[in-house]
Amino acid sequence: FSVGQVVNIKAKVNRAFNSSMEVGIQVSYEDLCSGKHCSICKAYATFVAQGPLGSKVRLKPLTPQTEEEKIEYSIAAERRRMRLVHKDTLKDLLTHSPQETELETRDGSGAVPAERTRVESVELVLPPHANHQGNTFGGQIMAWMENVATIAASRLCHAHPTLRAIEMFHFRGPSQVGDRLVLKAIVNNSFKNSMEVGVSAEAYGQEMSISRRHINSAFMTFVVLDQEGQPRTLPMLAPEPGDGERRFREASARKKIRLDRKYVVSCKQTEVPLSVPWDQSNKVYLSYNNVSALKMLVAKANWVLAREKEKVRMYTLEEDKFLSFRIEISVCIPAGRAFSLLSNLRRRHEWDSHYVSAELVQKVDDDDMIYHVVSRKLRHENKPQDFVILASRRKPCSKGDPYVVAFRSVTLPTHPTRAEFTRGETLCSGFCIWPESEEMSKVAYYNQAMPGYLNYVTTNVAGLSSDICSTFEACEKFLLKNKEDLISRLQDF
């Protein structure tokens, strides 16, 4: 945006956890002459509440009101989970990635030495830079860090770079009025159209203490735009030996993570292929997308009761490109036990006649499994369907949250399509289980019906068939039959 335009900044707390909270931030601009509105960026910030002497403060729970607030509230728990495993994701990707660097696979004869991009600057924290407690404004530190990062990027490209994204801004500790901040930046890696700049901030007092406090770090992605606003090709970078090569490889891994996240998480559901390829680097984001998609469906407000048969209730939700349905029933079983039974797809055939078998092909971790599922023949097909399904399960993050078991299709090289099956796909389906008491649970199954499934759903909604209700009644009998026999039969899940 430009001088003279109005910048609108909206922020609100999405969810409060024990001592931390997630704040969603949206930035847009308004051109007063043309009336044009445009979204600039979106971010999520994590704040920690601290009392005297840095003690933790237990936060009061937040109660969402609108449909949008309920969706953000629910998915905030998944984003928190994704943030907590970010270091492990990066480490895992580096462990499984080839050891040779990009320079070894490309002609690096004209590469720019990373040392040429190194920048160091010192800033003095003055009273206007700090809040009423004397701590430096986080935004001021971010501005100083962006300045040195821009200089470092300019030394590589010899042009005016544009900040495209900030991968991580980690505030490790405070700085106060009177501190000197040493700001350091260097280009970690350059790709075809972008570069990553690593920035750090260290603080020391007036006494010129030898030990500096590392208070901030960030990774910023820059591009150089041509006259048409398209990214230009950038020079290659020759990393410094040792730590420089480590930063070089880590920057490549972070780029891979960004691309996976953008591909899997940021796109709208209608823009993402149903069966997204599964690999180690995108497992966190596929799991996040799987659970968050189901939570978004659950939080929708316009469900309509379509049919009720005895204890089984069936609801529908009509949207532009999807017909979703929800089936729910109250069962005399503790929610945790129902969760354990329904999250094991290898037992689905015991109550769901549509399932023939479910083979566990990969245990990703304790919460995510990949199954190869074979279903019975459809009436209009002469062979059975098979699915490769990621099952992601989540226990409640706090009181009031449901137990969640989410399903979506993925692609595995070890399980390609086969001639004897018709490969089926599911975009978003799964169970939510709410405890109603210590011995009672509300079990609900959700599904965004795919075209091949629509006729089956609409037939049941119209009352021409009771197949769905019968299946869910069988589910209730399965839960009641197995609620006392849980421990011995589910330890291998």
Side-chain angles (χ1 to χ4, degrees), residues 293-301 303 326 402 432 434 446:
L294 179 59
K295 286 186 173 183
M296 289 176 67
L297 185 60
V298 172
K300 297 287 186 180
W303 291 96
R326 174 179 103 215
C432 282
W434 288 269
Y446 296 80

Side-chain angles (χ1 to χ4, degrees), residues 15-45:
R15 183 162 184 167
F17 301 97
N18 289 333
S19 60
S20 66
M21 67 189 86
E22 180 192 276
V23 178
I25 307 161
Q26 289 183 315
V27 182
S28 61
Y29 79 79
E30 175 187 358
D31 191 307
L32 297 179
C33 296
S34 64
K36 179 182 178 182
H37 292 257
C38 185
S39 177
I40 299 298
C41 67
K42 184 176 184 180
Y44 297 100

Side-chain angles (χ1 to χ4, degrees), residues 362-379:
Q362 185 174 339
K363 181 177 179 180
V364 181
D365 52 39
D366 289 339
D367 293 322
D368 295 277
M369 316 280 175
I370 300 178
Y371 294 88
H372 179 237
V373 174
V374 176
S375 70
R376 70 183 185 186
K377 294 180 181 179
L378 297 176
R379 293 175 182 174

Side-chain angles (χ1 to χ4, degrees), residues 293-486:
L294 179 59
K295 286 186 173 183
M296 289 176 67
L297 185 60
V298 172
K300 297 287 186 180
N302 298 322
W303 291 96
V304 176
L305 179 63
R307 195 171 177 205
E308 188 169 7
K309 181 185 178 185
E310 297 180 354
K311 294 186 293 184
V312 180
R313 298 170 297 278
M314 183 173 180
Y315 299 80
T316 59
L317 175 66
E318 296 183 46
E319 297 175 298
D320 292 339
K321 297 185 178 181
F322 297 103
L323 170 64
S324 303
F325 69 92
R326 174 179 103 215
I327 313 153
E328 64 181 35
I329 190 172
S330 292
V331 186
C332 184
I333 185 174
R337 296 188 179 183
F339 168 70
S340 297
L341 287 163
L342 294 176
S343 60
N344 188 353
L345 280 185
R346 288 175 295 182
R347 302 196 64 181
R348 180 82 172 253
H349 69 279
E350 295 181 35
W351 59 270
D352 190 345
S353 60
H354 302 92
Y355 272 56
V356 175
S357 64
E359 173 196 5
L360 177 63
V361 296
Q362 185 174 339
K363 181 177 179 180
V364 181
D365 52 39
D366 289 339
D367 293 322
D368 295 277
M369 316 280 175
I370 300 178
Y371 294 88
H372 179 237
V373 174
V374 176
S375 70
R376 70 183 185 186
K377 294 180 181 179
L378 297 176
R379 293 175 182 174
H380 58 279
E381 293 280 352
N382 58 3
K383 52 187 177 180
Q385 280 190 311
D386 73 333
F387 301 80
V388 179
I389 293 178
L390 169 65
S392 303
R393 64 181 200 167
R394 299 287 187 272
K395 293 181 179 180
C397 181
S398 60
K399 187 177 180 180
D401 286 354
Y403 290 84
V404 175
V405 186
F407 307 123
R408 71 152 300 149
S409 292
V410 293
T411 300
L412 275 181
T414 55
H415 287 73
T417 56
R418 291 159 55 182
E420 62 266 34
F421 297 117
T422 299
R423 175 57 53 91
E425 294 181 312
T426 178
L427 177 63
C428 174
S429 62
F431 292 95
C432 282
I433 305 158
W434 288 269
E436 295 185 325
S437 67
E438 290 187 1
E439 294 296 327
M440 288 293 296
S441 303
K442 183 174 75 173
V443 179
Y445 176 72
Y446 296 80
N447 195 317
Q448 274 189 333
M450 304 308 300
Y453 204 59
L454 283 176
N455 182 57
Y456 173 72
V457 175
T458 54
T459 298
N460 276 270
V461 171
L464 302 176
S465 171
S466 61
D467 201 14
I468 290 180
C469 292
S470 299
T471 299
F472 226 54
E473 289 170 353
C475 177
E476 179 193 18
K477 293 178 181 178
F478 165 78
L479 293 175
L480 294 175
K481 176 183 177 182
N482 292 280
K483 72 175 184 177
E484 302 297 340
D485 188 28
L486 181 71

